[in-house]
Amino acid sequence: MNQTINKYSKQIIIVNSIFILFWLTISIFPFIWTLWGSFKVKADFFSRADWTYALSGFNTLIETGATTTFKAYLESWTEGEFGRATMNTMIVTVSVVSISLFLGTLGAYALSRSTFKYTFYILIIALIFRAMPHITLVSGYLFPFFQLNIWGILPTTIIVLVAINQPFTLWLLYSFFKTVPKELDESALIDGCSYFQAFRYIIMPVMWPGVVTAGLFSMMLAYNDFTVTALLLNQHNYTMVPKINAYLGTVEYGGNYMWAVSSVVSATAPLFMIIWFFQRQLISGLTAGAVKG
Amino acid sequence: MPHRTFFWFILPTALAMILFIGLPIVSSFFQSLHIENEQVLMEVENCDPFGCTTNVRVDVEATEKIEAENPLGRFNGFGTYTDRNHLAFDEIEEAWDNTSSIGEFKDIVLNLPFYKALLFTLTFCFAVTPPVIVLGFIVALSVNTLAKSLKGLIVFGTILPMIVTPLIGSLVLFWMIDSQGIIGASIQILFDDPNLSLKASSNLTWITLIIYGIWHNTPFAFVVFYAALQTVPQDPLEAAYIDGATRFERVRFIVIPHLYPVATFIMLICLMDNFRVFEPIIGFSAEGVAQSLSWMIYQDLRNENKMLFGSAGATSMLTILGIAFLLTPVLIRTWKEFKTER
């Protein structure tokens, strides 16, 4: 029966394939184009005269002697100090992911196991906090941080990103822990474990699927953040995304466009690779709140 | 779980949220009630062989002293909220009195910074969301019909625009659409108009930003719809098939009604996320013609001479008010879900 329903006519298959190809072009082509263009010089990638220059590398050949060049990468990683920005991003991302998972699993476990009414209010407050635009929070941070003299350094940014990330992590892990049978840890409690021991020895071994999903989202937030990092870090401590923005417009780097283009590739490639491996977790996390209804 | 145990488990995360989400909102509110200190002026007499002149100069020392005593500035009450850069009550009243037609009045009001930004923010929200839902649904339907072996790869390709941060996403598109990029230059040749470019008119810029918004948000709608499609019950579909319903009818009368709640969810999330639109404006260098509320805050905080904490705080509060409006339906929905779960 299922077979007949799901059999598609030839026309549908053709129209469908064309549409999918069209859609994939829209979503992927800009990235491929940027990757291609990052190996050219500015006069080719931003060519007013003839866009085919970007394909043939006309000016690149004149300026560097070959049709592809690593000049932009070399310069941005050395002169542009993009390596430092990469290092900062790694420090921030790893710290944010580990700290927010540590706080999140503890909190979400408690929320999922407590039967009192206040859990509900905590979750609602978390939902409200999650909706706050980050820039409004940043406008609240700056003044106190200046006064306390903790502006501009990585630890402050890490803590702020962890906090901003908590509401979503809590909700995600809360709905995950709800699917872990209560009987598991209840039996441990009856056998004389404390709640913490039950969490440590019974829940921790089975929580990894949920933790991986939550970790993935924490990683994306920390890795991609622009609002918080651009305003809370000083130039020296910039992570990758604000650094790319700095290449475009500031006096210091003289609007060096090709640096920005190559850095966009350097910053995006690892992210895409990670998502390629964890695609399933990403999708399950995105749909966690939606599909129940 | 006893209260005491619960408390220790929740303490770290609650502390983080209170300190770095709750308090900043309060701090933002306090800042919004204050305004920058005035500079202390003094008269200086300059005498040279041709006579004496008096100049008014900033008394740096006295200004710094006030600054040190009162770093937040002086108390201003709700003055910042009603000034020209925010709700602009005086200007609106004046415009109301002095204009003869509604159109004229509208022009004046929509040129005030806050209302201009609000107009863009709302236009962006409401122009992006419907196409995102429709397009996301179509892509989901279409990917769902594919062979299993292809799905993984195509889903990956589809979600790329969502994964990159809005700043990078908008830059990548901007480099193509810019008058010197591949699409921009081709369009110029196509229309034979060397001056045609993204920055040529504010309408074009707005449309570009909206297209970017659709490009960035559709993957999210797709993913949620795609997951929801797997939960569509098979029995009604079979029954409809036996009764002779066409493919289109089956989608229209069985699949779509099943997905309504999901569509509402996507709509609310989309509206809320797009209300904070800010990074694309920087990515597209569209500050000149398109300002959003979040961008206004960023600009105040990026002010070269002095950070305008008061102004940023006031805009923040007004933005939060807007979010609260959009958030209410989500809260009600969650509330109901919770009640039924218990």
Side-chain angles (χ1 to χ4, degrees), chain B residues 60-98:
Chain B
V60 180
E61 229 170 77
T63 309
E64 270 173 8
K65 200 174 153 224
I66 292 185
E67 200 68 5
E69 277 168 5
N70 241 339
L72 194 52
R74 62 204 155 82
F75 187 74
N76 191 31
F78 285 94
T80 314
Y81 288 88
T82 54
D83 73 1
R84 191 181 178 282
N85 285 324
H86 297 90
L87 293 174
F89 287 154
D90 293 343
E91 283 76 9
I92 289 182
E93 208 183 311
E94 197 189 308
W96 183 254
D97 289 340
N98 297 337

Side-chain angles (χ1 to χ4, degrees), chain A residues 7-8 12 16 20 23 26-27 47 103 116 118 120 130 139-141 159 163 166 224 230 238 275 279 287 290, chain B residues 1 3 6 12-13 20 24 27-28 31 142 145 152 155 157-158 163 165 180 215 227 247 265 276 302 316 338:
Chain A
K7 230 176 119 195
Y8 300 101
I12 287 190
N16 197 37
I20 289 280
W23 170 253
I26 295 177
S27 61
S47 161
L103 303 187
F116 292 106
Y118 49 69
F120 169 67
R130 159 152 156 67
S139 89
Y141 297 137
I159 285 295
Q166 276 307 295
N224 276 339
Y238 269 173
I275 298 299
Q279 194 179 329
T287 51
Chain B
M1 189 180 268
H3 296 304
F6 181 80
T13 172
F20 293 100
S27 150
S28 233
Q31 285 169 31
S142 156
T145 61
V155 169
T158 305
I163 295 167
T165 181
Q180 297 172 8
W215 182 76
R247 182 170 302 279
F265 169 83
R276 358 172 160 171
R302 267 276 152 120
S316 298
F338 242 84

